[in-house]
Amino acid sequence: VFASLSLTVSADRHYARGDLAEAITDYQQALLLDPENHLARNSLAICHAHLGRNSRAQQEFQELLARDPNHVIALYNHGCLSLKMEQLEAAEENLQRCLELQPEQPYVMNYLAYSWVEQEINLDKAQEMLQRAVEQRPEDGFIVDSMGWVYYRLGHYEKAVRYLERAVELRPNDAVINDHLGDAYWKVGRRREARFQWHRALSLDPDAEVQARIERKLDTGLNAVDRPDG
């Protein structure tokens, strides 16, 4: 067990330096010595996810949770990865279980509620959950953004603007948050400011899907984009 923990510490150092290949080697060696080293397995899964090996990361999370179904960190990380992979049922299952074990955890509530907002389901419940998360973490730009986005989906655009402006103050270099604020500005008739925010979002290196959506909005306005208007 001691040798496994020593390798885990070594792997953590590699990970901190961004040497993911070396970190993976050490985590794997640690697990050969002690398959119950949950810290190493969780970190190994995260390394695979960082390298885009999402299926391999999922396998490691599933192995960890088979050994310890109540491992909160693995449940959270697996839930977040499942959201990224658009495996929404698995994501909700993991995040709901996480909340059973750690009720009112703000980051878990944020991820779960945001997934509902993106699917346009459980919006009232999502709004209530995000309100509790914002009360705990009022300076977290991602949580404040989620609060603004649920108001947008509910059609409360003035409230959405207030929260999304604050989210941009907290996370000025996040492309998605700037994009959200642009949408909200458009809905309240602030078209020039909307276009400014979309241009700002484009300058922040969004992923290809977000970039394409923003470019369509800049060409023809928000109504031309295949995004529900709340």
Side-chain angles (χ1 to χ4, degrees), residues 46-57 84:
I46 291 172
C47 284
H48 284 307
H50 279 315
L51 291 171
R53 304 169 183 168
N54 292 335
S55 296
R56 182 67 185 275
K84 182 179 178 181

Side-chain angles (χ1 to χ4, degrees), residues 35 37 58 60 68 82 90 92 105 107 135 189 198 214 221 224 227:
N37 185 339
Q58 277 203 323
E60 296 296 345
D68 182 2
S82 297
E92 181 167 345
Q105 212 292 332
Y107 299 110
E135 287 169 1
W198 291 333
I214 294 171
R227 170 187 276 173

Side-chain angles (χ1 to χ4, degrees), residues 75-93:
L75 285 166
Y76 175 74
N77 287 331
H78 191 202
C80 294
L81 178 62
S82 297
L83 276 180
K84 182 179 178 181
M85 298 175 70
E86 299 186 354
Q87 297 175 352
L88 302 176
E89 185 175 341
E92 181 167 345
E93 181 180 340

Side-chain angles (χ1 to χ4, degrees), residues 2 7 39:
F2 179 77
L7 279 166
L39 177 61

Side-chain angles (χ1 to χ4, degrees), residues 41-73:
R41 196 175 300 278
N42 181 74
S43 298
L44 175 60
I46 291 172
C47 284
H48 284 307
H50 279 315
L51 291 171
R53 304 169 183 168
N54 292 335
S55 296
R56 182 67 185 275
Q58 277 203 323
Q59 290 173 9
E60 296 296 345
F61 283 133
Q62 289 164 355
E63 175 67 21
L64 195 165
L65 291 169
R67 294 173 181 272
D68 182 2
N70 295 329
H71 195 287
V72 173
I73 295 174

